[in-house]
Amino acid sequence: MKLYDGGKAPNPRRTRVFLAEKGITVPTEQVDIMAQEHKTADFTAKNPLQRVPVLDDGTCISESIAICRYFEALRPEPPLFGQGALEAAMVEMWNRRAELNFLFIVAHAFRHLHPVMKDLEVPQIPEWGEANKPRAVDFLRIVDRELADREFIAGDRYTVADITTMVGYDFLKVAKIAVPDELQNVRRWHAAVSARPSARA
């Protein structure tokens, strides 16, 4: 078994944080995205979409959440996808919300505005990057209201939804998106999840 990692990229980090929460260690191989190693023939054979991470366990599994679900099934404790029908549904809902309305939005801003991405995001459309900045903040305003009466994104337990949202939040810095000062519930939550040892993965 080997995990093909992508360093500072958000999706590989989601997988690493998840594994750290589970206490699982997997042999890794770094894929240098800036050197476009994810576009080589060897890596493309593992994932035709040319994206990281990829878990090679005899069968190649790509997509960070698919990899996380694989390990959740292998080691159910602690339950990071929820327990019982209602909690699992709430975790799924908030994780998807965080992916589609936050992490991917921040990624659009970064990919279309940052000079380092000019050879990877072709064409860069700066107007699209700028258009996504307020959308990311709009999502955080929703989350801030939700966090007024609970500790974590999907409820009273730390889950994969917190991982996705934390990774998106940390990505705001490189995307040059500021978090409004008044979002105190979000700031409190972020300080708490960032203090977990897994956040350093």
Side-chain angles (χ1 to χ4, degrees):
M1 179 185 293
K2 182 184 290 187
L3 180 67
Y4 290 85
D5 196 1
K8 295 180 180 179
N11 283 312
R13 185 181 175 215
R14 281 204 286 176
T15 305
R16 292 196 307 273
V17 173
F18 187 92
L19 290 173
E21 284 286 334
K22 290 285 188 182
I24 298 172
T25 302
V26 178
T28 62
E29 181 173 321
Q30 291 300 315
V31 178
D32 188 338
I33 297 172
M34 300 314 298
Q36 300 197 30
E37 289 181 357
H38 59 301
K39 294 183 179 293
T40 64
D42 285 347
F43 189 81
T44 301
K46 299 181 185 301
N47 183 3
L49 294 179
Q50 301 178 327
R51 295 172 186 163
V52 286
V54 171
L55 179 70
D56 189 342
D57 191 21
T59 298
C60 288
I61 306 169
S62 62
E63 305 301 332
S64 56
I65 294 301
I67 294 169
C68 291
R69 285 193 177 279
Y70 175 80
F71 284 110
E72 179 87 349
L74 291 179
R75 186 175 297 181
E77 297 294 331
L80 297 179
F81 280 91
Q83 286 184 315
L86 179 58
E87 187 181 47
M90 295 300 289
V91 171
E92 183 75 16
M93 178 181 77
W94 278 105
N95 189 60
R96 289 292 286 163
R97 285 176 170 179
E99 280 184 324
L100 298 175
N101 299 289
F102 187 52
L103 179 58
F104 294 169
I105 297 301
V106 178
H108 285 315
F110 171 72
R111 293 182 70 90
H112 286 277
L113 290 169
H114 202 290
V116 76
M117 295 300 295
K118 66 181 176 63
D119 294 329
L120 291 172
E121 190 66 48
V122 181
Q124 276 190 319
I125 305 172
E127 295 82 3
W128 178 237
E130 291 293 346
N132 278 286
K133 287 185 174 183
R135 297 174 67 200
V137 175
D138 287 345
F139 181 76
L140 286 181
R141 292 188 189 281
I142 293 170
V143 172
D144 193 73
R145 291 193 296 270
E146 294 286 333
L147 289 172
D149 59 2
R150 66 176 182 262
E151 186 175 358
F152 297 110
I153 297 295
D156 296 326
R157 190 200 310 266
Y158 180 93
T159 69
V160 69
D162 294 284
I163 295 172
T164 296
T165 310
M166 179 187 71
V167 169
Y169 189 104
D170 291 343
F171 203 32
L172 292 169
K173 184 176 181 179
V174 293
K176 298 184 179 178
I177 302 173
V179 179
D181 291 339
E182 65 268 21
L183 300 186
Q184 290 302 307
N185 295 322
V186 165
R187 290 178 177 276
R188 178 263 305 159
W189 161 84
H190 182 255
V193 296
S194 296
R196 299 173 76 93
S198 64
R200 298 190 291 272

